[in-house]
Amino acid sequence: PLGADEFLPIFIFCVVQSSIERPNALSILLRNLCDESQLLSEIGYYLSSFEAAITFIQNLDLSSSMIGK
């Protein structure tokens, strides 16, 4: 089975490759639409994973020293 340590990098790659125009807005919308009781279920896990992927992407260092390595 695929664990969280293997899932998140794959999920980040998928989010980067997707055509989502406003991932932050989508994340906020999904969080607001999600019933609080669902946040402790599989739905909450995937929503948290999406938020973690967005945070990871936003914090990437894309300075010129990283390009091409």
Side-chain angles (χ1 to χ4, degrees):
L2 191 66
D5 290 340
E6 295 84 22
F7 169 74
L8 191 56
I10 295 168
F11 191 66
I12 291 169
F13 176 80
C14 293
V15 170
V16 168
Q17 296 297 316
S18 71
S19 299
I20 300 173
E21 291 185 21
R22 295 185 199 125
N24 286 332
L26 178 59
S27 175
I28 292 167
L29 175 67
L30 292 173
R31 174 69 63 173
N32 288 329
L33 290 176
C34 189
D35 185 67
E36 202 169 313
S37 65
Q38 292 179 322
L39 293 177
L40 299 175
S41 68
E42 189 174 356
I43 293 170
Y45 174 78
Y46 290 115
L47 179 56
S48 295
S49 297
F50 182 62
E51 292 169 342
I54 292 170
T55 300
F56 179 85
I57 294 164
Q58 288 175 330
N59 292 327
L60 280 175
D61 181 11
L62 298 177
S63 66
S64 60
S65 64
M66 296 296 291
I67 298 175
K69 290 187 176 184

